Amino acid sequence: MIKAAIMGYGTVGSGVYEVIRTNEKSIDKKVGEEFRVKYVLDLREFPGDPVMDVLTHNFEDILNDEEVTVVAEVMGGLRPAYDFTKRCLEAGKSVCTSNKELVAKHGAELIQIAREHNVNYLFEASVGGGIPIIRPINTSLTADVLLEISGILNGTTNYMLTKMANEGMDYADVLKEAQAKGYAELHPEADVEGWDPCRKIAILTSLASGKQVDFEDIYTEGITKITTEDFAYAKKMDCAIKLVASSKKVGDTYCAMVSPVMIHREHPLYMVNDVFNAVFVKGNMLGDSMFYGAGAGKLPTASAVAGDMVEAARYQGQTLPVFWDAEKLELAPVSETSRRFFVRVKEGTDVSVFGDVQTVDGGIAGEVGFITPVMTEAEYVAKAEALTVISMIRVEG
Ligand code: HSE
């Protein structure tokens, strides 16, 4: 019998316990022997919940129990998750996590510690919730050089942008609704400021390059400045506004960024709505592919964590290959990347500095919208300096 533990009984942790109990027979078959949760670690009490049979408040119970060989870390945050993870790996236990902050910050180090102890540090649930994307990159797309990974990697903001587009709601109202529905946190900064997709694209870029990408180096812009007026123009352009995290190969490195983007109807990310996520991957041999599904939520995320636990149980004593070393990757500067820009300015503004622009009539009194020709970010910034720009959104493709 394989004994497992779950650290954290919040939304994802309770989901992991539910997945393992609900699918017990099927999981046992796939593991090849009985797979049972011996401990759930949480400081709280859960009267009436079956978890009380296995609940502990003491991390040392898990650490010191040699029977426990697979641990889920679903506590979130850096502390104490980092210390608990490290000590479990050093004690010869595999750790499976949904904790993108920890994976983005300490992934390379924890993977190396796992290697040294013949165990696994698995993190499928850290990007795209229930969507399989980490394992396909690690095991299926290994013959390709990845030219691009772009995705809608945050369910909360995608839900908000979809509501703004479809129902004409403004940012403040849609945030309140998302909070009431439990999609957005009371402190929603990690989602709306783009910090969450920033960590996720850092993880994907680390896997694509095999080196450590520091999320602090990634240019990140959230959705807080997007207005209903922007959507009026987007509709005229046959575009959706999406918060896109992207990473594109530039020479020997990648250029990664997170920002709202105008996406044309023909782009595969256009139809990704509500809380769904999608990751678009371009390989130099594969061409285009897209991974789509439930990017957040209790059971989809728990499904990915539990799937990793099954994998860890199947490969006891063997470390699965992960192409991610501690050497830092210097990202290419965003200022040198080229694209078109959608810009709003006051009516009557001389925009000739941008050359041959394409005007967009959004029907908004007193202002005008236009799309610039392709230029670098640096060129855009230099030209825009002379104007009073109401807003700018990058245009994909
Ligand atoms: N807050 C995240 C989201 C949760 O909305 O996508 C999943 O990582």
Side-chain angles (χ1 to χ4, degrees), residues 160-169 231 235 240-241 273:
M160 291 172 65
L161 293 173
T162 305
K163 278 266 168 188
M164 288 176 82
N166 293 348
E167 296 175 26
M169 289 173 77
F231 283 98
K235 283 205 174 96
I241 302 173
N273 285 319

Side-chain angles (χ1 to χ4, degrees), residues 60-307:
E60 306 290 327
D61 286 346
I62 296 170
L63 186 70
N64 296 330
D65 189 333
E66 285 184 8
E67 268 193 339
V68 173
T69 52
V70 179
V71 179
E73 183 276 294
V74 281
M75 310 167 76
L78 293 180
R79 305 274 169 184
Y82 170 73
D83 305 285
F84 286 5
T85 299
K86 202 168 159 183
R87 291 173 72 195
C88 282
L89 294 170
E90 287 167 347
K93 303 174 197 298
S94 287
V95 178
C96 308
T97 190
S98 56
N99 188 339
K100 60 247 163 181
E101 285 161 272
L102 184 61
V103 176
K105 184 83 186 162
H106 295 292
E109 181 198 354
L110 294 169
I111 288 165
Q112 182 55 28
I113 294 172
R115 274 189 204 120
E116 287 161 9
H117 293 83
N118 286 328
V119 291
N120 286 288
Y121 183 54
L122 302 176
F123 44 91
E124 182 60 70
S126 65
V127 181
I131 306 171
I133 181 63
I134 305 289
R135 200 164 294 125
I137 291 176
N138 275 339
T139 63
S140 311
L141 299 173
T142 46
D144 269 61
V145 172
L146 299 186
L147 302 177
E148 178 180 349
I149 304 181
S150 294
I152 294 172
L153 300 180
N154 184 266
T156 304
T157 48
N158 204 41
Y159 170 83
M160 291 172 65
L161 293 173
T162 305
K163 278 266 168 188
M164 288 176 82
N166 293 348
E167 296 175 26
M169 289 173 77
D170 72 17
Y171 175 81
D173 288 341
V174 85
L175 176 59
K176 270 190 215 131
E177 196 199 287
Q179 284 170 323
K181 287 200 163 174
Y183 293 145
E185 311 267 345
L186 193 57
H187 301 289
E189 292 78 14
D191 294 318
V192 299
E193 299 288 1
W195 305 338
D196 169 87
C198 168
R199 278 149 183 83
K200 292 169 176 168
I201 198 69
I203 294 169
L204 294 178
T205 311
S206 296
L207 291 171
S209 65
K211 294 183 181 169
Q212 171 65 27
V213 172
D214 292 337
F215 64 83
E216 296 92 340
D217 295 347
I218 297 177
Y219 175 81
T220 299
E221 206 180 292
I223 65 162
T224 54
K225 296 195 185 93
I226 301 293
T227 62
T228 45
E229 286 80 11
D230 293 320
F231 283 98
Y233 287 100
K235 283 205 174 96
K236 283 281 163 63
M237 292 161 64
D238 236 356
C239 284
I241 302 173
K242 298 288 182 192
L243 183 63
V244 173
S246 72
S247 190
K248 294 184 184 170
K249 193 154 196 321
V250 182
D252 289 337
T253 184
Y254 285 82
C255 180
M257 69 189 294
V258 178
S259 78
V261 170
M262 290 278 187
I263 294 203
H264 193 260
R265 179 183 291 278
E266 283 167 13
H267 193 284
L269 292 177
Y270 174 91
M271 58 73 180
V272 179
N273 285 319
D274 300 314
V275 288
F276 284 92
N277 280 196
V279 191
F280 171 81
V281 180
K282 186 193 275 291
N284 67 339
M285 299 293 131
L286 165 78
D288 297 348
S289 64
M290 197 161 90
F291 300 78
Y292 171 84
K298 173 176 168 165
L299 289 178
T301 309
S303 152
V305 176

